[in-house]
């Protein structure tokens, strides 16, 4: 079991375009970060409706099939309409990490208050599968707490010029161990291990 972060990111390091909001979750121009989900002819075996290039399908489905629980940050949750009371993943339950008054969670969701509690609960739920963290705040919290094992950047060849940075300011530099690079049409998949 690993705790992983896998997000689409621009070359200048943003996971949304400028001015993300509940009305425009990916900000101005941010949808471009996800074109690779639909620009191929290989259907995803995990997510209905995704049609990826062959190299992207192998990377995406390998990651998505490993997810047993998803921890989501409050901003991502709010900008995504609470995922309609479900999860962003078709089979992995959602845990919402928030320090603000919690919204009404559905039976398919749980609300937690600290990254340590979130990872502990998600690990129980996931069993032998991985725990995915979704959102930049959750990724930063897991990294700072020493709980993040792996980072995958789905780097899209675009400069967005602003938006939500993948990585928040860190208290110190962190070395990463390169694991794998996969070049695909419209995206390069870069995977790193986070040494503990």
């Amino acid at each position: 079991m690993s705790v992983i972060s896998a997000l689409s990111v621009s070359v200048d390091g943003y996971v949304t375009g400028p001015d993300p909001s509940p009305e425009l979750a990916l900000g101005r121009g941010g949808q471009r970060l996800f074109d690779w989900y639909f620009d191929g002819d290989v259907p995803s075996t995990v997510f209905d409706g995704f049609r990826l290039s062959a190299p992207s399908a192998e990377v995406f489905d390998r990651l998505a099939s490993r997810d047993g629980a998803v921890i989501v940050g409050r901003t991502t949750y709010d900008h995504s309409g609470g995922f309609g009371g479900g999860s962003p993943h078709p089979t992995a339950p959602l845990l919402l990490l928030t320090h603000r008054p919690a919204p009404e969670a559905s039976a398919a969701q749980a609300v937690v208050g600290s990254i340590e509690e979130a990872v502990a609960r998600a690990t129980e739920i996931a069993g032998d599968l991985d725990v995915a963290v979704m959102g930049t705040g959750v990724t930063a919290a897991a990294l700072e707490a020493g709980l993040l094992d792996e980072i995958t950047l789905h780097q899209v060849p675009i400069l967005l010029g602003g938006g939500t940075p993948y990585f928040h300011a860190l208290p110190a530099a962190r070395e990463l161990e390169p694991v794998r690079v996969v070049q695909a049409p419209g995206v390069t998949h870069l995977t790193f291990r986070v040494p503990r």
Side-chain angles (χ1 to χ4, degrees):
M1 191 284 297
S2 296
V3 178
I4 64 172
S5 174
L7 300 176
S8 289
V9 62
S10 65
V11 172
D12 52 350
Y14 297 104
V15 299
T16 73
D19 306 318
S21 68
E23 294 75 32
L24 191 62
L26 297 175
R28 290 182 285 109
Q31 182 58 43
R32 171 66 180 87
L33 296 173
F34 299 93
D35 287 352
W36 63 275
Y37 285 0
F38 310 104
D39 67 358
D41 55 6
V42 179
S44 170
T45 60
V46 182
F47 279 72
D48 287 341
F50 285 24
R51 297 190 66 83
L52 309 109
S53 68
S56 287
E58 189 277 325
V59 171
F60 181 83
D61 284 348
R62 180 177 47 81
L63 287 167
S65 65
R66 291 171 34 191
D67 294 341
V70 180
I71 302 171
V72 175
R74 181 63 184 271
T75 300
T76 301
Y77 182 89
D78 288 347
H79 286 189
S80 300
F83 298 101
S87 172
H89 192 284
T91 59
L94 176 141
L95 288 89
L96 170 62
L97 176 62
T98 184
H99 302 289
R100 293 181 273 151
E104 195 70 27
S106 75
Q109 301 174 333
V111 178
V112 289
S114 74
I115 190 63
E116 293 82 4
E117 177 189 359
V119 169
R121 288 186 63 188
T123 300
E124 289 176 14
I125 293 167
D128 293 336
L129 296 175
D130 290 343
V131 172
V133 295
M134 184 177 174
T136 62
V138 175
T139 298
L143 186 59
E144 289 182 33
L147 298 171
L148 192 62
D149 299 303
E150 185 178 289
I151 298 169
T152 294
L153 308 175
H154 303 296
Q155 191 174 60
V156 176
I158 187 171
L159 298 170
L160 289 173
T164 306
Y166 195 137
F167 298 101
H168 294 219
L170 299 171
R174 296 290 304 262
E175 293 286 335
L176 301 176
E177 297 175 359
V179 173
R180 189 174 188 212
V181 176
V182 176
Q183 182 66 50
V187 62
T188 302
H189 307 282
L190 306 159
T191 301
F192 302 90
R193 187 171 295 109
V194 182
R196 297 249 180 137

